[in-house]
PDB file of all heavy atoms in Angstrom:
ATOM      1  N   THR A  68      25.336  38.974 -14.789  1.00 92.00           N
ATOM      2  CA  THR A  68      26.042  40.220 -14.931  1.00 92.00           C
ATOM      3  C   THR A  68      25.172  41.337 -14.302  1.00 92.00           C
ATOM      4  O   THR A  68      23.948  41.384 -14.479  1.00 92.00           O
ATOM      5  CB  THR A  68      26.199  40.609 -16.471  1.00 92.00           C
ATOM      6  OG1 THR A  68      26.845  39.509 -17.069  1.00 92.00           O
ATOM      7  CG2 THR A  68      26.979  41.898 -16.649  1.00 92.00           C
ATOM      8  N   PRO A  69      25.815  42.269 -13.518  1.00 94.00           N
ATOM      9  CA  PRO A  69      24.993  43.376 -13.054  1.00 94.00           C
ATOM     10  C   PRO A  69      24.370  44.172 -14.191  1.00 94.00           C
ATOM     11  O   PRO A  69      25.077  44.537 -15.105  1.00 94.00           O
ATOM     12  CB  PRO A  69      26.051  44.237 -12.240  1.00 94.00           C
ATOM     13  CG  PRO A  69      27.159  43.318 -11.986  1.00 94.00           C
ATOM     14  CD  PRO A  69      27.209  42.337 -13.059  1.00 94.00           C
ATOM     15  N   VAL A  70      23.079  44.412 -14.076  1.00 94.00           N
ATOM     16  CA  VAL A  70      22.367  45.057 -15.170  1.00 94.00           C
ATOM     17  C   VAL A  70      22.918  46.510 -15.425  1.00 94.00           C
ATOM     18  O   VAL A  70      22.854  47.004 -16.545  1.00 94.00           O
ATOM     19  CB  VAL A  70      20.858  45.086 -14.945  1.00 94.00           C
ATOM     20  CG1 VAL A  70      20.426  46.129 -13.937  1.00 94.00           C
ATOM     21  CG2 VAL A  70      20.080  45.377 -16.227  1.00 94.00           C
ATOM     22  N   ILE A  71      23.503  47.052 -14.346  1.00 94.00           N
ATOM     23  CA  ILE A  71      24.024  48.422 -14.555  1.00 94.00           C
ATOM     24  C   ILE A  71      25.126  48.448 -15.583  1.00 94.00           C
ATOM     25  O   ILE A  71      25.319  49.445 -16.288  1.00 94.00           O
ATOM     26  CB  ILE A  71      24.528  48.964 -13.143  1.00 94.00           C
ATOM     27  CG1 ILE A  71      24.820  50.471 -13.227  1.00 94.00           C
ATOM     28  CG2 ILE A  71      25.712  48.223 -12.606  1.00 94.00           C
ATOM     29  CD1 ILE A  71      23.648  51.367 -13.410  1.00 94.00           C
ATOM     30  N   GLU A  72      25.848  47.333 -15.730  1.00 93.00           N
ATOM     31  CA  GLU A  72      26.906  47.263 -16.780  1.00 93.00           C
ATOM     32  C   GLU A  72      26.271  47.393 -18.200  1.00 93.00           C
ATOM     33  O   GLU A  72      26.747  48.089 -19.045  1.00 93.00           O
ATOM     34  CB  GLU A  72      27.697  45.977 -16.665  1.00 93.00           C
ATOM     35  CG  GLU A  72      28.716  46.027 -15.532  1.00 93.00           C
ATOM     36  CD  GLU A  72      29.543  44.719 -15.408  1.00 93.00           C
ATOM     37  OE1 GLU A  72      29.636  44.032 -16.420  1.00 93.00           O
ATOM     38  OE2 GLU A  72      30.030  44.483 -14.344  1.00 93.00           O
ATOM     39  N   THR A  73      25.152  46.654 -18.318  1.00 93.00           N
ATOM     40  CA  THR A  73      24.447  46.674 -19.621  1.00 93.00           C
ATOM     41  C   THR A  73      23.930  48.126 -19.884  1.00 93.00           C
ATOM     42  O   THR A  73      24.094  48.657 -21.004  1.00 93.00           O
ATOM     43  CB  THR A  73      23.239  45.747 -19.633  1.00 93.00           C
ATOM     44  OG1 THR A  73      23.682  44.495 -19.072  1.00 93.00           O
ATOM     45  CG2 THR A  73      22.618  45.534 -20.958  1.00 93.00           C
ATOM     46  N   LEU A  74      23.353  48.725 -18.812  1.00 94.00           N
ATOM     47  CA  LEU A  74      22.785  50.083 -18.982  1.00 94.00           C
ATOM     48  C   LEU A  74      23.874  51.102 -19.209  1.00 94.00           C
ATOM     49  O   LEU A  74      23.671  52.038 -19.976  1.00 94.00           O
ATOM     50  CB  LEU A  74      21.900  50.417 -17.760  1.00 94.00           C
ATOM     51  CG  LEU A  74      20.727  49.497 -17.614  1.00 94.00           C
ATOM     52  CD1 LEU A  74      19.848  49.968 -16.374  1.00 94.00           C
ATOM     53  CD2 LEU A  74      19.831  49.428 -18.857  1.00 94.00           C
ATOM     54  N   THR A  75      25.038  50.923 -18.592  1.00 93.00           N
ATOM     55  CA  THR A  75      26.171  51.848 -18.790  1.00 93.00           C
ATOM     56  C   THR A  75      26.590  51.794 -20.232  1.00 93.00           C
ATOM     57  O   THR A  75      26.827  52.802 -20.852  1.00 93.00           O
ATOM     58  CB  THR A  75      27.325  51.527 -17.814  1.00 93.00           C
ATOM     59  OG1 THR A  75      26.797  51.509 -16.505  1.00 93.00           O
ATOM     60  CG2 THR A  75      28.430  52.556 -17.945  1.00 93.00           C
ATOM     61  N   ALA A  76      26.728  50.537 -20.734  1.00 92.00           N
ATOM     62  CA  ALA A  76      27.157  50.447 -22.107  1.00 92.00           C
ATOM     63  C   ALA A  76      26.141  51.109 -23.073  1.00 92.00           C
ATOM     64  O   ALA A  76      26.536  51.662 -24.100  1.00 92.00           O
ATOM     65  CB  ALA A  76      27.309  48.955 -22.464  1.00 92.00           C
ATOM     66  N   LEU A  77      24.845  50.969 -22.748  1.00 92.00           N
ATOM     67  CA  LEU A  77      23.794  51.565 -23.513  1.00 92.00           C
ATOM     68  C   LEU A  77      23.903  53.090 -23.468  1.00 92.00           C
ATOM     69  O   LEU A  77      23.838  53.802 -24.506  1.00 92.00           O
ATOM     70  CB  LEU A  77      22.432  51.101 -23.021  1.00 92.00           C
ATOM     71  CG  LEU A  77      21.263  51.218 -23.918  1.00 92.00           C
ATOM     72  CD1 LEU A  77      21.479  50.342 -25.193  1.00 92.00           C
ATOM     73  CD2 LEU A  77      20.006  50.695 -23.241  1.00 92.00           C
ATOM     74  N   ALA A  78      24.138  53.615 -22.271  1.00 93.00           N
ATOM     75  CA  ALA A  78      24.256  55.063 -22.076  1.00 93.00           C
ATOM     76  C   ALA A  78      25.418  55.629 -22.876  1.00 93.00           C
ATOM     77  O   ALA A  78      25.334  56.736 -23.404  1.00 93.00           O
ATOM     78  CB  ALA A  78      24.426  55.400 -20.589  1.00 93.00           C
ATOM     79  N   GLN A  79      26.468  54.778 -23.012  1.00 91.00           N
ATOM     80  CA  GLN A  79      27.641  55.276 -23.782  1.00 91.00           C
ATOM     81  C   GLN A  79      27.358  55.352 -25.257  1.00 91.00           C
ATOM     82  O   GLN A  79      28.114  55.975 -25.979  1.00 91.00           O
ATOM     83  CB  GLN A  79      28.816  54.341 -23.530  1.00 91.00           C
ATOM     84  CG  GLN A  79      29.552  54.713 -22.295  1.00 91.00           C
ATOM     85  CD  GLN A  79      30.374  53.600 -21.684  1.00 91.00           C
ATOM     86  OE1 GLN A  79      30.406  52.508 -22.230  1.00 91.00           O
ATOM     87  NE2 GLN A  79      31.027  53.886 -20.594  1.00 91.00           N
ATOM     88  N   GLN A  80      26.230  54.897 -25.735  1.00 91.00           N
ATOM     89  CA  GLN A  80      25.862  55.041 -27.112  1.00 91.00           C
ATOM     90  C   GLN A  80      25.138  56.332 -27.374  1.00 91.00           C
ATOM     91  O   GLN A  80      24.683  56.624 -28.492  1.00 91.00           O
ATOM     92  CB  GLN A  80      24.971  53.886 -27.629  1.00 91.00           C
ATOM     93  CG  GLN A  80      25.651  52.568 -27.641  1.00 91.00           C
ATOM     94  CD  GLN A  80      24.767  51.481 -28.126  1.00 91.00           C
ATOM     95  OE1 GLN A  80      23.911  51.632 -28.967  1.00 91.00           O
ATOM     96  NE2 GLN A  80      24.906  50.286 -27.566  1.00 91.00           N
ATOM     97  N   THR A  81      24.898  57.150 -26.294  1.00 91.00           N
ATOM     98  CA  THR A  81      24.188  58.415 -26.440  1.00 91.00           C
ATOM     99  C   THR A  81      25.153  59.543 -26.532  1.00 91.00           C
ATOM    100  O   THR A  81      26.342  59.354 -26.295  1.00 91.00           O
ATOM    101  CB  THR A  81      23.210  58.649 -25.255  1.00 91.00           C
ATOM    102  OG1 THR A  81      23.979  58.833 -24.068  1.00 91.00           O
ATOM    103  CG2 THR A  81      22.227  57.516 -25.076  1.00 91.00           C
TER     104      THR A  81
END
Side-chain angles (χ1 to χ4, degrees):
T68 306
V70 74
I71 191 69
E72 283 181 22
T73 313
L74 297 182
T75 306
L77 201 59
Q79 274 158 2
Q80 294 181 33
T81 65

